[in-house]
Amino acid sequence: MAFNRYGVWAIYTFEVARFGRTILTSLLTPVITTSLYFIVFGSAIGSRMTEIGGVPYGAFIVPGLIMLSMFTESIFNASFGIYMPKWAGTIYELLSAPVSAFETVIAYVGAAATKSMLLGLVIFTTAHLFVHIHVLHPFAMLAFMALIAVTFCLFGFIIGIWAQSFEQLQVIPLLVVMPMTFLGGAFYSIDMLPPVWRTVTLFNPVVYLISGFRWTFYGKSDVAIGMSLAATLGFSALCLVVIAWMFRTGYRLKS
């Protein structure tokens, strides 16, 4: 069957338009939050810990701040996008439409990733108001940002299918992803931890994502960039496998 680009574009534009209706609050909130993080972490902690690995502390936390917001936003956008048709009962129209599972995922995840990338760039711009940032590998930064946005949007898509209530949509982002981000080196280098805790932290997959993204800024990372990239691609592949199984079995889509 030929690729249904019209169906994909229709879903994509619908999801992006939904974001456009609340664009002011969607972008204003992360700007305020980022500013508060810089005031609390950048000023209060930065006055006592001036540099990490030769990078000023205020600049060091920028990649972590961007990832913290993108993780949450990617999951929320993708999960909410697919959950709403389930909640409204229109999911059956989508499943019976001449749009394959692959095309459906491209449309929903593509729209969510677009919104997450925009948010990440807004936070990146906001950070320039507080600290001087020099990106060593700008194209790699954009590529890594896009890869992480797509990866967590795929994860959010899974949560949206799995969730059976609005409360369940919030469980994973708030109780799992956010703590893992704070413990994954968003605001510090894991090299600062005692050896035992550093070993434990390496089992946190978020460490590899934040570390790889920080490398694109400063050429410095807690783990090798190859491992970060492999971990991100591996997580993406796992999400695709789970989504394929959900559509094949109809898990919480047809019941």
Side-chain angles (χ1 to χ4, degrees), residues 207-244:
V207 168
Y208 300 91
L209 278 66
I210 294 177
S211 180
F213 190 59
R214 184 173 285 128
W215 176 88
T216 66
F217 278 71
Y218 311 118
K220 302 175 183 291
S221 59
D222 293 325
V223 296
I225 182 61
M227 291 183 63
S228 296
L229 186 59
T232 308
L233 291 173
F235 187 44
S236 297
L238 177 62
C239 289
L240 285 172
V241 170
V242 173
I243 291 172

mmCIF file of all heavy atoms in Angstrom, residues 207-244:
data_model
loop_
_atom_site.group_PDB
_atom_site.id
_atom_site.type_symbol
_atom_site.label_atom_id
_atom_site.label_comp_id
_atom_site.label_asym_id
_atom_site.label_seq_id
_atom_site.Cartn_x
_atom_site.Cartn_y
_atom_site.Cartn_z
ATOM 1 N N VAL A 207 20.900 9.263 32.257
ATOM 2 C CA VAL A 207 22.285 9.734 32.335
ATOM 3 C C VAL A 207 22.900 9.816 30.940
ATOM 4 O O VAL A 207 23.578 10.788 30.591
ATOM 5 C CB VAL A 207 23.125 8.803 33.230
ATOM 6 C CG1 VAL A 207 24.617 9.101 33.073
ATOM 7 C CG2 VAL A 207 22.714 8.951 34.679
ATOM 8 N N TYR A 208 22.655 8.810 30.125
ATOM 9 C CA TYR A 208 23.277 8.729 28.808
ATOM 10 C C TYR A 208 22.706 9.789 27.859
ATOM 11 O O TYR A 208 23.425 10.331 27.014
ATOM 12 C CB TYR A 208 23.084 7.324 28.238
ATOM 13 C CG TYR A 208 23.702 6.265 29.113
ATOM 14 C CD1 TYR A 208 22.954 5.643 30.117
ATOM 15 C CD2 TYR A 208 25.032 5.905 28.968
ATOM 16 C CE1 TYR A 208 23.529 4.687 30.951
ATOM 17 C CE2 TYR A 208 25.613 4.938 29.785
ATOM 18 C CZ TYR A 208 24.856 4.343 30.774
ATOM 19 O OH TYR A 208 25.435 3.407 31.600
ATOM 20 N N LEU A 209 21.437 10.093 28.016
ATOM 21 C CA LEU A 209 20.812 11.100 27.158
ATOM 22 C C LEU A 209 21.314 12.500 27.500
ATOM 23 O O LEU A 209 21.706 13.267 26.614
ATOM 24 C CB LEU A 209 19.293 11.040 27.292
ATOM 25 C CG LEU A 209 18.572 9.975 26.463
ATOM 26 C CD1 LEU A 209 18.924 8.568 26.930
ATOM 27 C CD2 LEU A 209 17.052 10.150 26.552
ATOM 28 N N ILE A 210 21.321 12.832 28.790
ATOM 29 C CA ILE A 210 21.786 14.153 29.206
ATOM 30 C C ILE A 210 23.278 14.310 28.929
ATOM 31 O O ILE A 210 23.723 15.366 28.454
ATOM 32 C CB ILE A 210 21.491 14.373 30.705
ATOM 33 C CG1 ILE A 210 19.979 14.423 30.937
ATOM 34 C CG2 ILE A 210 22.152 15.650 31.214
ATOM 35 C CD1 ILE A 210 19.579 14.565 32.393
ATOM 36 N N SER A 211 24.044 13.273 29.189
ATOM 37 C CA SER A 211 25.480 13.329 28.972
ATOM 38 C C SER A 211 25.812 13.541 27.501
ATOM 39 O O SER A 211 26.674 14.355 27.154
ATOM 40 C CB SER A 211 26.138 12.042 29.478
ATOM 41 O OG SER A 211 27.530 12.072 29.285
ATOM 42 N N GLY A 212 25.114 12.815 26.628
ATOM 43 C CA GLY A 212 25.353 12.976 25.190
ATOM 44 C C GLY A 212 24.978 14.356 24.700
ATOM 45 O O GLY A 212 25.679 14.957 23.880
ATOM 46 N N PHE A 213 23.878 14.872 25.205
ATOM 47 C CA PHE A 213 23.441 16.207 24.802
ATOM 48 C C PHE A 213 24.418 17.263 25.311
ATOM 49 O O PHE A 213 24.730 18.226 24.599
ATOM 50 C CB PHE A 213 22.039 16.478 25.342
ATOM 51 C CG PHE A 213 21.404 17.727 24.801
ATOM 52 C CD1 PHE A 213 21.213 17.894 23.445
ATOM 53 C CD2 PHE A 213 20.994 18.738 25.650
ATOM 54 C CE1 PHE A 213 20.627 19.048 22.929
ATOM 55 C CE2 PHE A 213 20.399 19.885 25.159
ATOM 56 C CZ PHE A 213 20.227 20.043 23.791
ATOM 57 N N ARG A 214 24.938 17.083 26.524
ATOM 58 C CA ARG A 214 25.909 18.040 27.063
ATOM 59 C C ARG A 214 27.202 18.013 26.241
ATOM 60 O O ARG A 214 27.874 19.043 26.084
ATOM 61 C CB ARG A 214 26.185 17.733 28.530
ATOM 62 C CG ARG A 214 27.115 18.729 29.203
ATOM 63 C CD ARG A 214 27.212 18.482 30.694
ATOM 64 N NE ARG A 214 26.007 18.934 31.371
ATOM 65 C CZ ARG A 214 25.290 18.182 32.199
ATOM 66 N NH1 ARG A 214 25.658 16.927 32.432
ATOM 67 N NH2 ARG A 214 24.217 18.669 32.787
ATOM 68 N N TRP A 215 27.557 16.852 25.727
ATOM 69 C CA TRP A 215 28.771 16.748 24.903
ATOM 70 C C TRP A 215 28.670 17.636 23.667
ATOM 71 O O TRP A 215 29.666 18.228 23.237
ATOM 72 C CB TRP A 215 28.981 15.296 24.479
ATOM 73 C CG TRP A 215 30.143 15.124 23.546
ATOM 74 C CD1 TRP A 215 31.455 14.918 23.898
ATOM 75 C CD2 TRP A 215 30.114 15.152 22.114
ATOM 76 N NE1 TRP A 215 32.242 14.826 22.768
ATOM 77 C CE2 TRP A 215 31.433 14.966 21.658
ATOM 78 C CE3 TRP A 215 29.095 15.319 21.172
ATOM 79 C CZ2 TRP A 215 31.759 14.944 20.301
ATOM 80 C CZ3 TRP A 215 29.408 15.301 19.835
ATOM 81 C CH2 TRP A 215 30.735 15.112 19.394
ATOM 82 N N THR A 216 27.478 17.746 23.077
ATOM 83 C CA THR A 216 27.326 18.580 21.888
ATOM 84 C C THR A 216 27.562 20.058 22.204
ATOM 85 O O THR A 216 27.907 20.832 21.316
ATOM 86 C CB THR A 216 25.922 18.425 21.269
ATOM 87 O OG1 THR A 216 24.930 18.939 22.170
ATOM 88 C CG2 THR A 216 25.622 16.965 20.969
ATOM 89 N N PHE A 217 27.404 20.442 23.464
ATOM 90 C CA PHE A 217 27.655 21.820 23.880
ATOM 91 C C PHE A 217 29.137 22.072 24.140
ATOM 92 O O PHE A 217 29.720 23.027 23.616
ATOM 93 C CB PHE A 217 26.869 22.147 25.158
ATOM 94 C CG PHE A 217 25.435 22.515 24.938
ATOM 95 C CD1 PHE A 217 24.501 21.568 24.545
ATOM 96 C CD2 PHE A 217 25.001 23.815 25.126
ATOM 97 C CE1 PHE A 217 23.180 21.898 24.348
ATOM 98 C CE2 PHE A 217 23.677 24.161 24.929
ATOM 99 C CZ PHE A 217 22.757 23.207 24.535
ATOM 100 N N TYR A 218 29.733 21.218 24.991
ATOM 101 C CA TYR A 218 31.051 21.524 25.532
ATOM 102 C C TYR A 218 32.130 20.493 25.206
ATOM 103 O O TYR A 218 33.279 20.655 25.618
ATOM 104 C CB TYR A 218 30.949 21.678 27.060
ATOM 105 C CG TYR A 218 29.837 22.597 27.482
ATOM 106 C CD1 TYR A 218 28.771 22.132 28.260
ATOM 107 C CD2 TYR A 218 29.818 23.931 27.074
ATOM 108 C CE1 TYR A 218 27.734 22.973 28.635
ATOM 109 C CE2 TYR A 218 28.783 24.778 27.437
ATOM 110 C CZ TYR A 218 27.749 24.290 28.209
ATOM 111 O OH TYR A 218 26.717 25.130 28.563
ATOM 112 N N GLY A 219 31.748 19.436 24.494
ATOM 113 C CA GLY A 219 32.732 18.405 24.179
ATOM 114 C C GLY A 219 33.124 17.593 25.394
ATOM 115 O O GLY A 219 34.127 16.879 25.369
ATOM 116 N N LYS A 220 32.350 17.712 26.479
ATOM 117 C CA LYS A 220 32.627 16.984 27.717
ATOM 118 C C LYS A 220 31.378 16.196 28.102
ATOM 119 O O LYS A 220 30.263 16.680 27.948
ATOM 120 C CB LYS A 220 32.982 17.943 28.857
ATOM 121 C CG LYS A 220 34.183 18.839 28.574
ATOM 122 C CD LYS A 220 34.392 19.838 29.698
ATOM 123 C CE LYS A 220 35.544 20.789 29.396
ATOM 124 N NZ LYS A 220 36.843 20.099 29.412
ATOM 125 N N SER A 221 31.574 14.995 28.608
ATOM 126 C CA SER A 221 30.430 14.174 29.005
ATOM 127 C C SER A 221 30.844 13.194 30.079
ATOM 128 O O SER A 221 32.030 12.891 30.240
ATOM 129 C CB SER A 221 29.859 13.411 27.800
ATOM 130 O OG SER A 221 30.851 12.573 27.225
ATOM 131 N N ASP A 222 29.869 12.717 30.830
ATOM 132 C CA ASP A 222 30.132 11.745 31.889
ATOM 133 C C ASP A 222 30.367 10.351 31.336
ATOM 134 O O ASP A 222 31.026 9.532 31.967
ATOM 135 C CB ASP A 222 28.970 11.720 32.884
ATOM 136 C CG ASP A 222 28.858 13.026 33.661
ATOM 137 O OD1 ASP A 222 29.907 13.629 33.966
ATOM 138 O OD2 ASP A 222 27.724 13.455 33.957
ATOM 139 N N VAL A 223 29.772 10.064 30.193
ATOM 140 C CA VAL A 223 29.975 8.768 29.520
ATOM 141 C C VAL A 223 30.326 9.051 28.065
ATOM 142 O O VAL A 223 30.080 10.144 27.551
ATOM 143 C CB VAL A 223 28.715 7.879 29.609
ATOM 144 C CG1 VAL A 223 28.411 7.519 31.048
ATOM 145 C CG2 VAL A 223 27.520 8.573 28.984
ATOM 146 N N ALA A 224 30.898 8.084 27.393
ATOM 147 C CA ALA A 224 31.314 8.263 26.003
ATOM 148 C C ALA A 224 30.114 8.597 25.124
ATOM 149 O O ALA A 224 29.017 8.055 25.318
ATOM 150 C CB ALA A 224 32.000 6.999 25.502
ATOM 151 N N ILE A 225 30.335 9.484 24.152
ATOM 152 C CA ILE A 225 29.245 9.914 23.282
ATOM 153 C C ILE A 225 28.675 8.729 22.502
ATOM 154 O O ILE A 225 27.472 8.683 22.219
ATOM 155 C CB ILE A 225 29.730 11.023 22.313
ATOM 156 C CG1 ILE A 225 28.587 11.526 21.432
ATOM 157 C CG2 ILE A 225 30.900 10.559 21.487
ATOM 158 C CD1 ILE A 225 27.434 12.146 22.182
ATOM 159 N N GLY A 226 29.514 7.761 22.178
ATOM 160 C CA GLY A 226 29.026 6.578 21.469
ATOM 161 C C GLY A 226 28.032 5.793 22.292
ATOM 162 O O GLY A 226 27.015 5.304 21.779
ATOM 163 N N MET A 227 28.303 5.680 23.594
ATOM 164 C CA MET A 227 27.373 4.979 24.482
ATOM 165 C C MET A 227 26.064 5.750 24.619
ATOM 166 O O MET A 227 24.982 5.153 24.668
ATOM 167 C CB MET A 227 28.019 4.797 25.857
ATOM 168 C CG MET A 227 29.184 3.829 25.892
ATOM 169 S SD MET A 227 29.843 3.607 27.560
ATOM 170 C CE MET A 227 28.423 2.889 28.384
ATOM 171 N N SER A 228 26.166 7.083 24.678
ATOM 172 C CA SER A 228 24.955 7.907 24.773
ATOM 173 C C SER A 228 24.080 7.728 23.539
ATOM 174 O O SER A 228 22.863 7.568 23.645
ATOM 175 C CB SER A 228 25.336 9.384 24.929
ATOM 176 O OG SER A 228 26.027 9.601 26.133
ATOM 177 N N LEU A 229 24.702 7.762 22.380
ATOM 178 C CA LEU A 229 23.953 7.604 21.139
ATOM 179 C C LEU A 229 23.350 6.212 21.038
ATOM 180 O O LEU A 229 22.188 6.054 20.645
ATOM 181 C CB LEU A 229 24.881 7.866 19.946
ATOM 182 C CG LEU A 229 24.231 7.882 18.564
ATOM 183 C CD1 LEU A 229 23.150 8.950 18.487
ATOM 184 C CD2 LEU A 229 25.278 8.109 17.479
ATOM 185 N N ALA A 230 24.123 5.203 21.417
ATOM 186 C CA ALA A 230 23.621 3.824 21.358
ATOM 187 C C ALA A 230 22.447 3.623 22.311
ATOM 188 O O ALA A 230 21.460 2.962 21.967
ATOM 189 C CB ALA A 230 24.744 2.844 21.702
ATOM 190 N N ALA A 231 22.530 4.219 23.511
ATOM 191 C CA ALA A 231 21.450 4.095 24.484
ATOM 192 C C ALA A 231 20.178 4.761 23.976
ATOM 193 O O ALA A 231 19.070 4.228 24.126
ATOM 194 C CB ALA A 231 21.872 4.704 25.822
ATOM 195 N N THR A 232 20.322 5.933 23.347
ATOM 196 C CA THR A 232 19.158 6.652 22.824
ATOM 197 C C THR A 232 18.510 5.881 21.683
ATOM 198 O O THR A 232 17.279 5.723 21.638
ATOM 199 C CB THR A 232 19.566 8.056 22.333
ATOM 200 O OG1 THR A 232 20.281 8.730 23.368
ATOM 201 C CG2 THR A 232 18.344 8.869 21.959
ATOM 202 N N LEU A 233 19.323 5.385 20.760
ATOM 203 C CA LEU A 233 18.792 4.616 19.627
ATOM 204 C C LEU A 233 18.167 3.308 20.106
ATOM 205 O O LEU A 233 17.142 2.870 19.575
ATOM 206 C CB LEU A 233 19.909 4.338 18.622
ATOM 207 C CG LEU A 233 20.445 5.546 17.852
ATOM 208 C CD1 LEU A 233 21.654 5.147 17.020
ATOM 209 C CD2 LEU A 233 19.360 6.138 16.952
ATOM 210 N N GLY A 234 18.784 2.698 21.126
ATOM 211 C CA GLY A 234 18.238 1.457 21.658
ATOM 212 C C GLY A 234 16.874 1.667 22.304
ATOM 213 O O GLY A 234 15.963 0.855 22.121
ATOM 214 N N PHE A 235 16.728 2.771 23.036
ATOM 215 C CA PHE A 235 15.447 3.079 23.661
ATOM 216 C C PHE A 235 14.390 3.358 22.605
ATOM 217 O O PHE A 235 13.234 2.940 22.728
ATOM 218 C CB PHE A 235 15.608 4.271 24.597
ATOM 219 C CG PHE A 235 14.391 4.575 25.422
ATOM 220 C CD1 PHE A 235 13.682 3.565 26.044
ATOM 221 C CD2 PHE A 235 13.943 5.879 25.577
ATOM 222 C CE1 PHE A 235 12.558 3.838 26.812
ATOM 223 C CE2 PHE A 235 12.828 6.170 26.334
ATOM 224 C CZ PHE A 235 12.133 5.145 26.955
ATOM 225 N N SER A 236 14.779 4.055 21.532
ATOM 226 C CA SER A 236 13.845 4.327 20.430
ATOM 227 C C SER A 236 13.374 3.032 19.786
ATOM 228 O O SER A 236 12.180 2.852 19.512
ATOM 229 C CB SER A 236 14.524 5.202 19.362
ATOM 230 O OG SER A 236 14.890 6.454 19.873
ATOM 231 N N ALA A 237 14.326 2.124 19.546
ATOM 232 C CA ALA A 237 13.981 0.845 18.930
ATOM 233 C C ALA A 237 13.034 0.049 19.817
ATOM 234 O O ALA A 237 12.074 -0.567 19.339
ATOM 235 C CB ALA A 237 15.251 0.047 18.650
ATOM 236 N N LEU A 238 13.290 0.066 21.129
ATOM 237 C CA LEU A 238 12.416 -0.648 22.065
ATOM 238 C C LEU A 238 11.004 -0.074 22.044
ATOM 239 O O LEU A 238 10.015 -0.829 22.044
ATOM 240 C CB LEU A 238 13.000 -0.555 23.479
ATOM 241 C CG LEU A 238 12.176 -1.191 24.597
ATOM 242 C CD1 LEU A 238 12.027 -2.696 24.366
ATOM 243 C CD2 LEU A 238 12.815 -0.924 25.958
ATOM 244 N N CYS A 239 10.899 1.250 22.006
ATOM 245 C CA CYS A 239 9.579 1.893 21.948
ATOM 246 C C CYS A 239 8.842 1.501 20.668
ATOM 247 O O CYS A 239 7.626 1.249 20.689
ATOM 248 C CB CYS A 239 9.724 3.409 22.029
ATOM 249 S SG CYS A 239 10.225 4.023 23.655
ATOM 250 N N LEU A 240 9.549 1.452 19.550
ATOM 251 C CA LEU A 240 8.921 1.074 18.280
ATOM 252 C C LEU A 240 8.410 -0.362 18.331
ATOM 253 O O LEU A 240 7.327 -0.664 17.808
ATOM 254 C CB LEU A 240 9.930 1.235 17.140
ATOM 255 C CG LEU A 240 10.226 2.674 16.697
ATOM 256 C CD1 LEU A 240 11.383 2.693 15.700
ATOM 257 C CD2 LEU A 240 8.985 3.314 16.084
ATOM 258 N N VAL A 241 9.173 -1.240 18.960
ATOM 259 C CA VAL A 241 8.751 -2.634 19.088
ATOM 260 C C VAL A 241 7.473 -2.732 19.924
ATOM 261 O O VAL A 241 6.528 -3.445 19.571
ATOM 262 C CB VAL A 241 9.878 -3.485 19.724
ATOM 263 C CG1 VAL A 241 9.352 -4.870 20.094
ATOM 264 C CG2 VAL A 241 11.050 -3.606 18.773
ATOM 265 N N VAL A 242 7.424 -1.987 21.022
ATOM 266 C CA VAL A 242 6.240 -2.010 21.896
ATOM 267 C C VAL A 242 5.022 -1.452 21.176
ATOM 268 O O VAL A 242 3.914 -2.009 21.250
ATOM 269 C CB VAL A 242 6.512 -1.207 23.193
ATOM 270 C CG1 VAL A 242 5.235 -1.087 24.018
ATOM 271 C CG2 VAL A 242 7.609 -1.870 24.004
ATOM 272 N N ILE A 243 5.206 -0.349 20.443
ATOM 273 C CA ILE A 243 4.089 0.258 19.702
ATOM 274 C C ILE A 243 3.578 -0.693 18.624
ATOM 275 O O ILE A 243 2.367 -0.837 18.427
ATOM 276 C CB ILE A 243 4.519 1.601 19.083
ATOM 277 C CG1 ILE A 243 4.755 2.635 20.186
ATOM 278 C CG2 ILE A 243 3.460 2.118 18.112
ATOM 279 C CD1 ILE A 243 5.354 3.936 19.695
ATOM 280 N N ALA A 244 4.505 -1.351 17.925
ATOM 281 C CA ALA A 244 4.104 -2.316 16.894
ATOM 282 C C ALA A 244 3.273 -3.435 17.507
ATOM 283 O O ALA A 244 2.256 -3.861 16.940
ATOM 284 C CB ALA A 244 5.348 -2.890 16.211
#
